[in-house]
Amino acid sequence: MSDAEAETEAESAVEFGDWTDETLTLLRALRAPHRRSRAGQIGYTVYCFVMIGLTWGGLFSLGLFTNASMGANYTADGPRLLAALPSAVCALSLGLILVVSRDALWRGPVVAPRATVDWLLMQPVRPAPLLRPWFWVSAVIAVVPGVVAAVGASVAVALTDRVHFLSALGWALIGGICVPLIATACGVAVERSPRVARYLRRASPVLALLVLLLAAQSVLAVMGHRATGLERAELWSGPWGWGGLAGLSPTTAALPGGWIAAVLLVVVTLAAVAAAHWAAGSVPLGSLRLRARTAAGVAAALRTAELRSARMVLSQAEQKGRKVRLRIPPPQRPWLIVPWRDLTALLRAPSRFGRAVLFAAPALLLATPAANARGADRVLLTALAVALAYLGVAQLAEPVRVEADDPRRAGWSPYPYAKLMLRHGAVPLIASVLLLAAGAAVASALGASAAVWLAPAAALPLTGAAMVNACRGPSRQELMYTPQGAGGIGPFLFLAWYAAGPLTTVPALAFALDTKAPEAVLWCLVIAGVLGYWTYQRALKLSGRHRPKD
């Protein structure tokens, strides 16, 4: 039965009789034992999170306030924090709205179980009483990180700007509560309307770029390059900035109209939540069914530690909009067939380039602080930059992972499987070098250190690390359950196998890039050669595992 026929049948059933109240009463009675057990589990989870937050965050903050009352001065970092807040708050708020809205493309704020979608909603019951509680559960969950962020920001502002903590917290909670609720309401709109979902897919690259630019602006503000007029325009541009205006109100960097922004944010939030409450009861049954099955598939993959399978389920669910059909002329030489296929695949998935830029940009921004640091801080900042750069380069290695998912798919190739996998590294390697070279040029024009020009050389070992990870083969969950004499180190063994490429490459590159430029380039070439050989050996084992027996 199709989704349209199912919805028509459900509507007809409601017309012939409404059994919603009776059904809910019966379900409450039948689910009472399970509901009490579930409430205990949720209460215990909340208790653990609260205790962890109070132990790590509360005691640490209390110690800082105690030191401040005894004469410790934390105001040296106050001006830089206040300079970073306007664009940082806009970036975080807009990023949160984008992430929650994108989440609604495959899951959504209205996350009903499969039993409710596949069976209960097909009965003569009204959908609104069954769906709206799930919306409110998602709204409450979304508010929690907002409250935590507001508390952390209040502690920082109170210590560095000598502001009363309760005053700072009260103003910060306005944005910490309202922005997540607005993001949840936007998610309901995406889940309910295919048209809104199409608009979101088209606007996502632009919004992601805006978030990236706002984050870069925040970093530049910390470095002393502020654009005050642009910051005010961003703060007043929408709900993503009004929370920042309200949060700055009790500080020395307060801007005029903070209370007006707070009132506007509260009013818009109430209107958005009311509209989302109404819309949550009319989400199409086909949309609910698709999201319930996708969420179940992702949960099943995560329970078995099949992260690749979970990612593939998500990509299939999110690629329901307009597909990119770019074509490039086929090559005239046989040895260009593999690069041509890989380049075609990447051009038809432009979101991968966007994600690569999102990870590579902060990596390049960290080049200057890492070059100016000394000792352990220098190595740690370099390692963080290398890790972010790896995440960006790994986005471009999807053709390698697709070929490694099933070695039997390579039966068309005249090359041995291991050599074919090395040929698949050409396009990711060239694309990564060009991406990091272009990013280094932009960062250098903005005043970054000359160390940023080591990024194109680092693209070689980073691509090798991505290829090593792609050739790891089927998931080895047995590593997590193998008895160990030293204790439960199974999860760490599984992590070491699953992320062997980056776990070995990131520390090695962090120390290699800490040397002089010629030596760093030489070390990059050496590490890339080792990783290429490792990829070849892994590909040989992978092809032997799938070789048919005589």
Side-chain angles (χ1 to χ4, degrees):
M1 181 184 297
S2 65
D3 294 336
E5 294 174 350
E7 293 181 13
T8 302
E9 182 176 339
E11 293 174 359
S12 301
V14 174
E15 291 178 1
F16 287 107
D18 183 4
W19 294 84
T20 304
D21 296 336
E22 293 81 354
T23 302
L24 293 179
T25 302
L26 177 61
L27 288 176
R28 291 192 194 97
L30 294 176
R31 292 176 175 175
H34 172 73
R35 189 166 58 250
R36 286 193 292 268
S37 175
R38 185 65 174 169
Q41 296 175 1
I42 295 175
Y44 178 73
T45 302
V46 172
Y47 166 78
C48 291
F49 276 105
V50 170
M51 292 304 298
I52 291 174
L54 291 178
T55 302
W56 290 95
L59 293 180
F60 179 74
S61 301
L62 182 61
L64 292 177
F65 280 114
T66 302
N67 293 338
S69 64
M70 297 174 64
N73 187 6
Y74 300 104
T75 58
D77 296 324
R80 288 186 295 177
L81 175 64
L82 295 178
L85 275 179
S87 49
V89 170
C90 292
L92 290 174
S93 301
L94 189 59
L96 177 64
I97 295 173
L98 177 60
V99 168
V100 174
S101 300
R102 293 286 303 184
D103 176 78
L105 292 175
W106 68 274
R107 197 178 65 95
V110 184
V111 193
R114 288 196 63 178
T116 300
V117 175
D118 292 339
W119 177 77
L120 188 55
L121 290 177
M122 300 299 296
Q123 307 306 316
V125 296
R126 297 189 307 274
L130 298 173
L131 298 179
R132 283 171 179 164
W134 295 106
F135 159 70
W136 285 106
V137 169
S138 298
V140 172
I141 294 176
V143 166
V144 173
V147 172
V148 173
V151 173
S154 302
V155 171
V157 170
L159 290 171
T160 59
D161 199 46
R162 300 293 188 181
V163 178
H164 194 276
F165 171 72
L166 293 180
S167 176
L169 179 61
W171 285 98
L173 282 177
I174 297 175
I177 294 176
C178 292
V179 173
L181 291 178
I182 292 176
T184 306
C186 293
V188 174
V190 172
E191 186 177 6
R192 183 177 181 270
S193 173
R195 179 180 298 179
V196 176
R198 287 196 299 270
Y199 289 154
L200 174 64
R201 290 188 179 94
R202 296 173 183 175
S204 292
V206 178
L207 295 177
L209 180 60
L210 288 176
V211 173
L212 178 62
L213 292 176
L214 288 170
Q217 181 183 349
S218 178
V219 174
L220 291 174
V222 173
M223 298 170 62
H225 306 287
R226 294 192 64 181
T228 308
L230 181 60
E231 290 177 358
R232 293 193 179 189
E234 293 164 353
L235 290 172
W236 282 105
S237 60
W240 45 84
W242 297 343
L245 282 169
L248 290 173
S249 295
T251 68
T252 56
L255 297 174
W259 66 272
I260 299 177
V263 172
L264 287 174
L265 185 58
V266 172
V267 171
V268 170
T269 301
L270 293 176
V273 170
H277 173 79
W278 172 83
S282 57
V283 177
L285 182 59
S287 177
L288 291 171
R289 181 178 290 113
L290 175 63
R291 283 160 171 78
R293 293 175 180 174
T294 302
V298 172
L302 292 179
R303 291 191 191 99
T304 57
E306 290 283 358
L307 303 184
R308 171 70 175 163
S309 299
R311 192 181 302 114
M312 292 176 66
V313 172
L314 287 180
S315 62
Q316 292 174 1
E318 291 185 351
Q319 292 176 356
K320 298 297 182 181
R322 185 180 62 178
K323 296 183 179 180
V324 180
R325 293 297 185 186
L326 294 177
R327 296 180 182 273
I328 54 178
Q332 301 299 321
R333 300 181 182 275
W335 62 273
L336 290 174
I337 291 294
V338 175
W340 174 76
R341 292 179 69 228
D342 294 345
L343 181 59
T344 302
L346 286 178
L347 290 177
R348 292 186 176 183
S351 60
R352 293 201 168 274
F353 287 99
R355 289 195 289 269
V357 172
L358 288 177
F359 285 115
L364 294 170
L365 289 175
L366 285 173
T368 298
N372 296 332
R374 292 292 180 270
D377 292 341
R378 182 188 180 99
V379 177
L380 290 176
L381 287 175
T382 305
L384 178 59
V386 171
L388 290 172
Y390 167 78
L391 293 176
V393 170
Q395 304 302 318
L396 305 176
E398 181 64 15
V400 186
R401 288 189 286 267
V402 171
E403 197 75 76
D405 285 340
D406 187 0
R408 295 169 297 184
R409 188 183 293 131
W412 65 271
S413 171
Y415 307 109
Y417 182 75
K419 293 184 179 179
L420 175 64
M421 295 304 295
L422 293 180
R423 288 176 178 269
H424 276 298
V427 170
L429 177 60
I430 296 174
S432 301
V433 171
L434 293 177
L435 172 65
L436 293 181
V442 175
S444 180
L446 294 176
S449 170
V452 75
W453 286 106
L454 291 175
L460 278 70
L462 292 177
T463 305
M467 295 181 64
V468 167
N469 253 28
C471 296
R472 59 175 170 254
S475 181
R476 297 182 58 186
Q477 296 94 343
E478 70 274 8
L479 292 175
M480 293 189 290
Y481 309 108
T482 303
Q484 303 292 333
I489 62 173
F492 298 100
L493 293 177
F494 177 81
L495 178 63
W497 168 83
Y498 187 86
L503 285 179
T504 54
T505 304
V506 169
L509 269 183
F511 286 101
L513 296 177
D514 194 28
T515 60
K516 295 181 180 180
E519 297 177 3
V521 174
L522 180 60
W523 276 114
C524 287
L525 295 176
V526 172
I527 296 173
V530 173
L531 292 172
Y533 179 75
W534 191 2
T535 301
Y536 183 80
Q537 293 298 321
R538 274 196 162 190
L540 281 178
K541 294 181 180 179
L542 191 59
S543 61
R545 187 181 293 116
H546 292 269
R547 185 176 300 158
K549 297 181 180 180
D550 297 332

